[in-house]
Amino acid sequence: MYSAIAAVAALLALMVAYSAAKLLWKDSWILGWLRGMFGLGMLALAVVFVFIALDIFSYRQIQTEQTVATLSFDKKADQVFEVLVVDAEGVEHRYKIKGDQWQLDARIIKWTGALSNVGIKPGYRLDRLSGRYYSLEKEREEDRTVYAFNESPVGVDVWAWLREAKERLPIVDAVYGSATYLPMADEAVFEISLSAAGLVARPVNDQARSAVSGWH
């Protein structure tokens, strides 16, 4: 469905660009100049539609609860971990996280009302990974590690626009989904699942289960 929405945006871009080209090629003087200015404006609008389509393509549709990432931890020093994040498509990302706990955030676009009723599913994009310390003193004094990934490929942020316009667009809602902060441990592996309700982190191996059990 997200591919269909992005395709519609791309089609609108082509239609606007075609209309703009017709205006720019017609002969006239003052009217031609006006047509030219209007045509250029329509071309700019077409470019905006293209950027919107590309940004929408970067979101993945949520069918049912599904695994969106796996995180593996390798302790490098006291309160320093290398984290391997493997997303749903098998793409690997490596980060160095400082602290005792980690959290993964995602951006979620939810459709409401009639669009939800006709089967348009929410979409998501992994947003950032962060670490934090147990100690409030270290949390204030030490450097925080926060990494953003999967940003818009063209610099157009549809999700941010939707958050700002949520009062004017009741058919769509742009929200954050966050896994609860969980402890980091050497060789621990966690699986991140996502449903329409948000992110859920589950320990996969004994090291992860032991860390979570000891933390609680």
Side-chain angles (χ1 to χ4, degrees):
M1 187 60 70
Y2 272 78
S3 296
I5 294 172
V8 169
L11 180 60
L12 287 173
L14 289 174
M15 292 174 63
V16 172
Y18 175 73
S19 298
K22 286 181 66 178
L23 286 172
L24 289 172
W25 281 103
K26 283 188 176 180
D27 292 326
S28 188
W29 201 86
I30 296 178
L31 290 179
W33 180 81
L34 292 174
R35 288 194 191 100
M37 295 300 294
F38 183 66
L40 289 174
M42 293 181 70
L43 282 175
L45 182 61
V47 172
V48 171
F49 277 124
V50 169
F51 286 170
I52 290 174
L54 290 173
D55 189 58
I56 292 174
F57 269 124
S58 69
Y59 283 78
R60 302 185 180 98
Q61 193 170 3
I62 305 172
Q63 300 292 347
T64 56
E65 182 172 319
Q66 62 191 78
T67 300
V68 298
T70 301
L71 280 72
S72 305
F73 293 84
D74 182 13
K75 188 173 183 178
K76 296 299 183 182
D78 185 36
Q79 296 179 309
V80 180
F81 293 82
E82 182 180 83
V83 186
L84 172 64
V85 181
V86 183
D87 66 21
E89 295 182 346
V91 179
E92 297 184 356
H93 311 265
R94 292 184 183 272
Y95 305 98
K96 184 175 287 186
I97 300 292
K98 297 180 180 180
D100 303 294
Q101 298 174 300
W102 64 273
Q103 183 179 58
L104 183 69
D105 301 319
R107 294 183 171 197
I108 302 174
I109 297 178
K110 295 181 178 181
W111 304 95
T112 60
L115 291 179
S116 176
N117 294 334
V118 299
I120 299 181
K121 304 295 184 181
Y124 79 94
R125 188 170 74 196
L126 296 180
D127 186 50
R128 63 184 180 182
L129 175 68
S130 59
R132 76 174 182 182
Y133 295 90
Y134 287 134
S135 167
L136 291 177
E137 182 179 354
K138 281 196 170 184
E139 187 70 9
R140 295 192 193 100
E141 295 178 356
E142 299 290 336
D143 293 334
R144 293 289 306 277
T145 45
V146 180
Y147 298 96
F149 49 96
N150 287 340
E151 296 180 348
S152 173
V154 290
V156 173
D157 196 338
V158 173
W159 184 86
W161 289 356
L162 293 175
R163 279 181 70 87
E164 293 177 1
K166 62 181 179 179
E167 299 297 331
R168 301 185 296 276
L169 292 173
I171 62 171
V172 63
D173 193 14
V175 298
Y176 260 120
S178 299
T180 303
Y181 270 107
L182 289 174
M184 293 187 283
D186 191 30
E187 299 184 355
V189 180
F190 291 88
E191 182 180 86
I192 311 299
S193 298
L194 177 63
S195 67
L199 289 174
V200 178
R202 296 185 176 93
V204 172
N205 61 359
D206 290 339
Q207 291 88 337
R209 284 189 285 269
S210 177
V212 172
S213 176
W215 174 59
H216 287 302

